[in-house]
Amino acid sequence: MDITAQASRIGALADETRRALYEHVVAQPDAVTREGAAAAIGIPAHMARFHLDKLVEAGLLETEFRRLSGRTGPGAGRPAKLYRRAPGTVSVSLPERRYDLVGRVLAEAIERADHAESVRDAVREAAHDEGRMLAASTPSGAREEDDESRVQTEPAPDRLRAVLAAHGYEPRHDGEATVLGNCPFDSLARDHTQLICSANLALLGGVLEGLDRDDLRACLEPHVGRCCVAIRPRD
């Protein structure tokens, strides 16, 4: 989900009443009725219904219908509409960070290293494989940069740029190279530079391999204010 959609979902909680309803719903062990939620925060049921349905539209809550009496058949009454927290995670980070991505790489590396493989080698191999999967799974219509950024990034190959942009790298053209304006693993890269930058280099090498871009190579080029990897034409 792109940042506009994520920010819109979080923005639904800017209303104080809506936020109170959301906090009440997620604190309950089971789905709740609008009447129960309304009573909990002291508002009329019709107002609670309005705000709860807005939270459903935003993807923060989901609904189900269930007879609360436990009875079935004629005379059991109509099922009640219940609200519960929707699955999934909503997060907004500026610049974009992808700690979930590096977390998958490190978890996979730990499992591989259990089989007598060195941890660093396992991290590089896991990162390379993850890069290949990113290349295969990112649609060619992945999130584009805004108009100002597109002027900078236009010379980069469209498919490669789509993969890099979709995962927070902010690709930009710099002569023959594609430099990456953002490190998606920033705080980890600062605290564990050698490990994370080596994994990042392997991951982007895997992306290039997955895209069959044997005319390009990923190069480790530490630089203040941007990602440590650049994409350059292969000699």
Side-chain angles (χ1 to χ4, degrees):
M1 184 178 295
D2 65 26
I3 192 169
T4 301
Q6 294 276 42
S8 177
R9 294 174 73 181
I10 292 176
L13 297 174
D15 181 273
E16 183 176 345
T17 300
R18 204 167 294 172
R19 186 170 64 254
L21 284 167
Y22 177 79
E23 291 172 350
H24 171 73
V25 171
V26 302
Q28 307 313 307
D30 197 5
V32 303
T33 64
R34 63 173 178 262
E35 291 80 9
I41 70 167
I43 62 173
H46 71 274
M47 183 183 295
R49 179 177 62 184
F50 171 79
H51 287 295
L52 289 167
D53 287 342
K54 287 295 183 182
L55 291 169
V56 172
E57 290 177 15
L60 296 172
L61 298 180
E62 63 180 15
T63 60
E64 64 176 84
F65 291 85
R66 189 198 318 158
R67 287 188 175 93
L68 301 180
S69 65
R71 295 181 295 159
T72 60
R78 297 176 58 186
K81 185 176 183 180
L82 306 175
Y83 298 83
R84 67 169 68 248
R85 176 160 52 189
T89 301
V90 181
S91 63
V92 174
S93 173
L94 296 173
E96 187 172 354
R97 304 298 183 219
R98 288 300 309 275
Y99 298 116
D100 59 323
L101 175 56
V102 74
R104 285 202 306 271
V105 168
L106 296 178
E108 175 66 22
I110 291 170
E111 291 183 352
R112 295 186 183 196
D114 284 344
H115 298 86
E117 185 176 12
S118 79
V119 172
R120 289 188 182 277
D121 288 344
V123 168
R124 284 191 291 269
E125 290 182 11
H128 185 270
D129 291 347
E130 183 72 21
R132 287 178 56 86
M133 288 190 288
L134 294 183
S137 63
T138 302
S140 57
R143 187 184 74 244
E144 297 288 341
E145 305 297 322
D146 60 26
D147 290 341
E148 181 179 353
S149 297
R150 190 173 293 115
V151 172
Q152 298 174 307
T153 62
E154 192 62 38
D158 287 349
R159 176 69 171 153
L160 174 59
R161 186 184 68 201
V163 177
L164 296 173
H167 295 90
Y169 282 101
E170 297 181 4
R172 302 169 184 168
H173 187 65
D174 183 13
E176 292 187 333
T178 298
V179 298
L180 309 175
N182 180 54
C183 173
F185 321 123
D186 178 67
S187 64
L188 281 176
R190 283 188 277 109
D191 294 340
H192 307 281
T193 304
Q194 186 174 1
L195 176 65
I196 300 302
C197 290
S198 175
N200 195 19
L201 179 66
L203 185 143
L204 293 174
V207 167
L208 293 177
E209 184 176 315
L211 295 174
D212 294 324
R213 294 307 306 256
D214 54 8
D215 59 318
L216 300 173
R217 60 192 175 95
C219 307
L220 194 60
E221 299 180 4
H223 192 286
V224 175
R226 70 185 192 210
C227 178
C228 62
V229 178
I231 309 297
R232 293 190 176 275
R234 190 176 295 279
D235 295 335

